[in-house]
Amino acid sequence: MGSSTSIPTEEQVEQLQADVDLACAKAADAISKADILVLCTGAGFSADSGLAVYADVAQVRAYKDRGLQYHDICQPSYLRDEPDLFWGFWGQCYNDYRETAPHAGYEIIDRWVEERFRHSDLARSLRERMPEMADRPTIEPYQVTERPGAFYVFTSNVDAHHFDWFRAAEIRECHGNTEIYQCSKTCAGVWRAPAGFKFRVDQGTMLAGSGVALSPEAGVQAVVTEKKDIAEKPCIGQVSGGGRPHTLRYMPAPSCDASAGFATNQPTCIHCGGPGRPAILMFGDSRWQDVDSQEARWVAWQRAVEEFVADTKDKVVRIVILELGAGGNVPTVRRTSEACLKNFLESGADAHLVRVNPDLPLGDDSDHFAPGGDESHRIISVMARGLGSLQKIDACVARLQEGCTVEEAAAAASQVQ
């Protein structure tokens, strides 16, 4: 199975850009008819909240002067070699994410989920098929008691913004998030950062020394030596900010009191007292600790869906995978979306992938989903950014509910700017 990222030709780009409104209407039609919705998000989805994408996150003077890019800084070796630099980067990322609200697209999707996928009869059937997950309070950051229904999120984003709108039982973060910490050595287990913790980062040097962290009452930008920088796009320390009204409201309470590990500006292991670190999968990382129950729940849910589809003889189960902002630099999300699509089709579902991306909206699997593949019609390509596309799709959903055709709904999408 070929799976290199499909880059549109000039002719394809011209057609895709001309067909954005129609593609949004087709996506709305598929979502309106779906029994199950899978949301897959990459860095481009967070960008609509005013956060930086991979290419721009490290575009500040302190890193430019040292010739450092994101791939260079995002390595666990810096914790040993230059801890102030390590915590300057991850501490400012944490602060940025804590101070920036998820964009309106999250609320749009959550409304669809509430109306169509979280409380349906099919959702209840899937919950009944889900196995019990064992409590592991000594090594898990929180305990999840709910079970997922007919909706799930798979994301590579580490900002934990999905917890503001979606339930913990519905979320799989394949790279971890900045709210969860672990030992940098061999101690087992991960834990949550305290609700009021903030890193003290000098934005002129992008260093975070080992002294006292910011008090909960202090603004995140309290230690800014020079806010103005060379970047025009969002980058580390220069994001939209503005506050986050629903911070982690669906992330369950911590399994343990981890405050001792956050007594200074450079968190420590709550077990051995040695250096801690974010439980995030970095480059060249052999010691990342996943939230194992989260991964197990995601795998079990996929199996439950496939078994349900195979066991359902009286109707065709319709599934939509909605992928937003997943690029080709780290293609984990794109590959997962297409793997899910392939597995759901093989189980007997009527499944489609809505791929929303301003640059790379085509299918990648050359045998099946790329242009010319035998299942390429299963891909609905929307060549646009995530938030704007969601607003267009939402407008189309409303028109379709009124009895309009897909073509008439596309006209409604054209009115959304």
Side-chain angles (χ1 to χ4, degrees):
M1 180 175 76
S3 58
S4 60
T5 303
S6 293
I7 300 175
T9 65
E10 291 184 6
E11 292 78 12
Q12 287 172 327
V13 168
E14 183 177 356
Q15 189 64 52
L16 287 163
Q17 290 176 339
D19 288 346
V20 166
D21 293 334
L22 180 59
C24 286
K26 291 179 178 179
D29 186 52
I31 292 169
S32 297
K33 295 174 179 176
D35 301 299
I36 297 171
L37 177 66
V38 182
L39 173 64
C40 295
T41 62
F45 191 56
S46 290
D48 284 319
S49 299
L51 297 175
V53 297
Y54 294 130
D56 304 320
V57 65
Q59 298 300 308
V60 295
R61 179 68 65 189
Y63 299 144
K64 285 277 190 180
D65 288 347
R66 295 188 54 176
L68 295 174
Q69 298 290 332
Y70 172 73
H71 283 73
D72 304 313
I73 305 166
C74 186
Q75 299 201 34
S77 59
Y78 277 102
L79 178 60
R80 178 192 65 241
D81 300 335
E82 295 190 57
D84 290 5
L85 179 71
F86 178 90
W87 286 114
F89 178 77
W90 288 114
Q92 191 59 55
C93 286
Y94 170 97
N95 289 351
D96 288 348
Y97 301 156
R98 274 282 185 101
E99 288 296 303
T100 302
H103 58 75
Y106 289 83
E107 185 173 5
I108 290 172
I109 296 170
D110 185 62
R111 174 162 41 81
W112 296 343
V113 174
E114 274 291 299
E115 293 174 353
R116 301 168 183 274
F117 305 108
R118 193 173 280 140
H119 308 291
S120 64
D121 290 340
L122 192 152
R124 284 187 284 273
S125 296
L126 289 176
R127 289 191 182 97
E128 292 173 356
R129 289 173 176 262
M130 288 292 292
E132 291 284 349
M133 294 291 172
D135 289 338
R136 307 200 309 170
T138 59
I139 60 174
E140 296 274 332
Y142 47 76
Q143 302 302 302
V144 177
T145 57
E146 296 181 342
R147 299 183 186 187
F151 169 74
Y152 223 105
V153 179
F154 181 93
T155 184
S156 62
N157 295 338
V158 299
D159 51 35
H161 278 191
H162 290 78
F163 283 95
D164 290 19
W165 286 100
F166 310 122
R167 309 306 186 262
E170 301 167 342
I171 298 171
R172 171 60 183 145
E173 297 162 309
C174 65
H175 294 161
N177 71 56
T178 56
E179 295 290 337
I180 309 299
Y181 288 75
Q182 66 171 81
C183 182
S184 64
K185 303 297 184 182
T186 59
C187 297
V190 293
W191 54 89
R192 280 189 61 177
F197 186 77
K198 296 177 182 178
F199 286 91
R200 181 182 294 273
V201 180
D202 185 321
Q203 288 189 320
T205 62
M206 287 308 300
L207 300 178
S210 59
V212 179
L214 289 179
S215 66
E217 295 78 22
V220 167
Q221 305 295 349
V223 192
V224 177
T225 58
E226 185 180 356
K227 177 70 174 176
K228 190 174 181 180
D229 213 315
I230 59 175
E232 296 180 358
K233 298 178 180 179
C235 59
I236 191 168
Q238 298 184 34
V239 298
S240 64
R244 189 172 163 188
H246 304 302
T247 305
L248 304 173
R249 61 176 166 178
Y250 294 121
M251 183 179 283
S255 295
C256 65
D257 180 4
S259 57
F262 294 85
T264 71
N265 203 38
Q266 296 184 359
T268 57
C269 175
I270 63 173
H271 301 298
C272 71
R277 52 161 283 188
I280 289 174
L281 180 61
M282 305 178 197
F283 297 106
D285 195 348
S286 62
R287 291 183 172 170
W288 173 56
Q289 294 190 47
D290 198 355
V291 179
D292 292 336
S293 63
Q294 196 188 77
E295 164 68 4
R297 188 177 300 105
W298 162 243
V299 171
W301 183 80
Q302 292 177 84
R303 185 181 303 114
V305 169
E306 292 167 19
E307 291 175 353
F308 177 86
V309 170
D311 292 344
T312 301
K313 307 301 183 183
D314 59 338
K315 62 167 289 187
V316 175
V317 179
R318 294 175 174 175
I319 303 176
V320 168
I321 302 161
L322 174 60
E323 181 195 281
L324 298 152
N329 288 333
V330 182
T332 308
V333 175
R334 295 176 70 93
R335 290 175 181 171
T336 299
S337 298
E338 294 197 11
C340 286
L341 178 60
K342 184 174 183 290
N343 292 338
F344 293 152
L345 289 171
E346 289 178 349
S347 69
D350 178 8
H352 290 82
L353 167 59
V354 178
R355 173 162 280 164
V356 181
N357 192 293
D359 304 304
L360 303 168
L362 300 176
D364 293 335
D365 182 343
S366 58
D367 294 332
H368 302 293
F369 306 128
D374 58 6
E375 296 280 8
S376 60
H377 63 285
R378 297 288 179 176
I379 308 294
I380 300 173
S381 298
V382 181
M383 196 168 196
R385 291 178 64 117
L387 175 56
S389 298
L390 286 172
Q391 291 167 331
K392 285 177 177 287
I393 293 170
D394 194 40
C396 291
V397 168
R399 292 293 287 154
L400 290 168
Q401 288 176 333
E402 296 170 358
C404 291
T405 65
V406 170
E407 290 72 20
E408 290 169 337
S414 68
Q415 301 303 310
V416 178
Q417 301 300 321

